[in-house]
Amino acid sequence: QVQLVESGGGLVQAGGSLRLSCAASSSSFSNSAMGWFRRAPGKEREFVATVSRSGENKFYADSVRGRFTISRDNAKNTVYLQMNSLKPEDTAVYFCASDVKYGSKWYASGFWGQGTQVTVSS
Protein backbone atom coordinates (compact mmCIF):
# COMPACT_ATOMS: atom_id res chain seq x y z
CA GLN A 1 0.00 0.00 0.00
CA VAL A 2 1.28 3.44 -0.92
CA GLN A 3 2.02 5.82 1.93
CA LEU A 4 2.06 9.58 1.54
CA VAL A 5 3.83 11.72 4.13
CA GLU A 6 3.56 15.51 4.12
CA SER A 7 6.08 17.85 5.68
CA GLY A 8 7.03 21.52 5.66
CA GLY A 9 4.08 23.03 7.45
CA GLY A 10 4.48 25.65 10.13
CA LEU A 11 3.67 29.14 11.37
CA VAL A 12 4.40 32.10 9.10
CA GLN A 13 3.40 35.74 8.88
CA ALA A 14 1.07 37.04 6.19
CA GLY A 15 3.00 37.68 2.99
CA GLY A 16 5.50 34.97 3.77
CA SER A 17 6.29 31.75 1.97
CA LEU A 18 6.30 28.07 2.77
CA ARG A 19 7.15 24.94 0.80
CA LEU A 20 5.29 21.71 1.46
CA SER A 21 6.60 18.30 0.46
CA CYS A 22 4.79 15.00 0.03
CA ALA A 23 6.90 11.87 -0.16
CA ALA A 24 5.45 8.63 -1.54
CA SER A 25 6.66 5.20 -0.49
CA SER A 26 6.38 3.59 -3.92
CA SER A 27 7.67 4.21 -7.41
CA SER A 28 4.06 3.87 -8.59
CA PHE A 29 3.88 7.53 -7.61
CA SER A 30 4.98 8.33 -11.15
CA ASN A 31 1.81 6.74 -12.57
CA SER A 32 -0.62 8.93 -10.65
CA ALA A 33 -1.85 12.48 -10.90
CA MET A 34 -1.06 14.06 -7.55
CA GLY A 35 -2.66 16.94 -5.73
CA TRP A 36 -3.09 19.02 -2.63
CA PHE A 37 -6.29 19.62 -0.69
CA ARG A 38 -6.84 21.58 2.49
CA ARG A 39 -9.29 21.84 5.35
CA ALA A 40 -9.57 25.21 7.06
CA PRO A 41 -11.15 25.69 10.49
CA GLY A 42 -14.91 25.38 10.27
CA LYS A 43 -14.86 24.48 6.59
CA GLU A 44 -15.03 21.39 4.41
CA ARG A 45 -11.98 20.00 2.67
CA GLU A 46 -11.31 21.82 -0.59
CA PHE A 47 -9.17 21.37 -3.65
CA VAL A 48 -5.95 23.37 -3.88
CA ALA A 49 -3.87 22.15 -6.82
CA THR A 50 -3.02 19.12 -8.93
CA VAL A 51 -0.25 18.05 -11.28
CA SER A 52 -0.36 15.40 -13.99
CA ARG A 53 1.80 12.28 -14.12
CA SER A 54 4.46 13.92 -16.26
CA GLY A 55 4.34 17.22 -14.40
CA GLU A 56 3.39 19.11 -17.54
CA ASN A 57 -0.23 19.89 -16.72
CA LYS A 58 -1.26 21.79 -13.60
CA PHE A 59 -4.54 23.15 -12.26
CA TYR A 60 -5.20 25.44 -9.33
CA ALA A 61 -8.11 26.58 -7.26
CA ASP A 62 -9.06 30.19 -7.97
CA SER A 63 -8.17 31.14 -4.41
CA VAL A 64 -4.51 30.17 -4.81
CA ARG A 65 -3.80 30.66 -8.50
CA GLY A 66 -0.85 33.00 -8.99
CA ARG A 67 0.41 32.47 -5.45
CA PHE A 68 0.91 28.70 -5.18
CA THR A 69 2.94 26.44 -7.46
CA ILE A 70 2.66 22.66 -7.57
CA SER A 71 5.47 20.52 -8.93
CA ARG A 72 6.76 16.97 -8.76
CA ASP A 73 10.00 15.05 -8.94
CA ASN A 74 9.23 11.50 -10.03
CA ALA A 75 12.81 10.39 -9.45
CA LYS A 76 12.33 11.28 -5.78
CA ASN A 77 8.68 10.17 -5.58
CA THR A 78 7.86 13.60 -4.20
CA VAL A 79 5.32 16.32 -4.94
CA TYR A 80 5.74 19.90 -3.74
CA LEU A 81 3.56 22.90 -3.07
CA GLN A 82 5.36 26.23 -3.06
CA MET A 83 3.17 28.77 -1.29
CA ASN A 84 3.95 32.46 -1.68
CA SER A 85 2.16 35.62 -0.56
CA LEU A 86 0.41 33.65 2.15
CA LYS A 87 -2.78 35.02 3.67
CA PRO A 88 -4.50 34.23 6.97
CA GLU A 89 -7.25 32.59 4.88
CA ASP A 90 -4.69 29.98 3.81
CA THR A 91 -4.55 28.65 7.35
CA ALA A 92 -5.53 24.99 7.15
CA VAL A 93 -4.38 21.42 7.36
CA TYR A 94 -2.93 20.56 3.96
CA PHE A 95 -3.28 17.03 2.61
CA CYS A 96 -1.46 15.33 -0.23
CA ALA A 97 -3.44 12.86 -2.32
CA SER A 98 -2.94 10.52 -5.27
CA ASP A 99 -5.11 9.68 -8.29
CA VAL A 100 -6.59 13.15 -8.52
CA LYS A 101 -9.40 13.50 -11.06
CA TYR A 102 -12.12 15.89 -12.13
CA GLY A 103 -15.80 15.05 -12.44
CA SER A 104 -18.19 17.76 -11.36
CA LYS A 105 -15.37 18.85 -9.05
CA TRP A 106 -11.83 17.84 -8.19
CA TYR A 107 -11.44 14.72 -6.05
CA ALA A 108 -8.91 12.04 -5.19
CA SER A 109 -9.57 8.32 -5.60
CA GLY A 110 -6.21 7.08 -4.34
CA PHE A 111 -4.31 7.56 -1.10
CA TRP A 112 -4.17 10.41 1.39
CA GLY A 113 -1.41 11.68 3.62
CA GLN A 114 -1.83 12.51 7.29
CA GLY A 115 -1.80 16.25 6.70
CA THR A 116 0.48 19.08 7.74
CA GLN A 117 -0.64 22.23 9.55
CA VAL A 118 -0.10 25.62 7.94
CA THR A 119 -0.86 28.66 10.07
CA VAL A 120 -0.62 32.20 8.68
CA SER A 121 -0.73 35.06 11.17
CA SER A 122 -1.90 38.57 10.30
Side-chain angles (χ1 to χ4, degrees):
Q1 186 171 340
V2 175
Q3 290 183 306
L4 302 176
V5 180
E6 303 96 332
S7 62
L11 174 63
V12 298
Q13 293 187 169
S17 298
L18 208 59
R19 189 194 195 202
L20 306 183
S21 297
C22 172
S25 62
S26 172
S27 60
S28 62
F29 165 89
S30 64
N31 197 37
S32 170
M34 302 294 296
W36 291 91
F37 295 75
R38 67 185 182 185
R39 183 169 61 242
K43 296 183 178 180
E44 296 295 320
R45 185 175 61 197
E46 66 176 354
F47 168 77
V48 175
T50 187
V51 59
S52 63
R53 299 174 183 179
S54 66
E56 296 180 351
N57 299 314
K58 303 174 183 179
F59 298 92
Y60 300 92
D62 291 342
S63 60
V64 307
R65 188 176 296 109
R67 299 187 298 119
F68 291 10
T69 302
I70 188 170
S71 62
R72 67 191 298 161
D73 186 340
N74 288 344
K76 296 182 178 180
N77 292 339
T78 302
V79 62
Y80 306 95
L81 185 68
Q82 178 66 47
M83 305 183 293
N84 299 326
S85 301
L86 283 163
K87 306 174 180 179
E89 307 94 270
D90 295 317
T91 295
V93 177
Y94 284 71
F95 299 90
C96 176
S98 64
D99 295 324
V100 176
K101 305 173 182 177
Y102 186 83
S104 57
K105 63 179 181 180
W106 289 102
Y107 69 97
S109 61
F111 298 93
W112 291 84
Q114 84 287 351
T116 185
Q117 176 70 48
V118 171
T119 302
V120 184
S121 61
S122 60

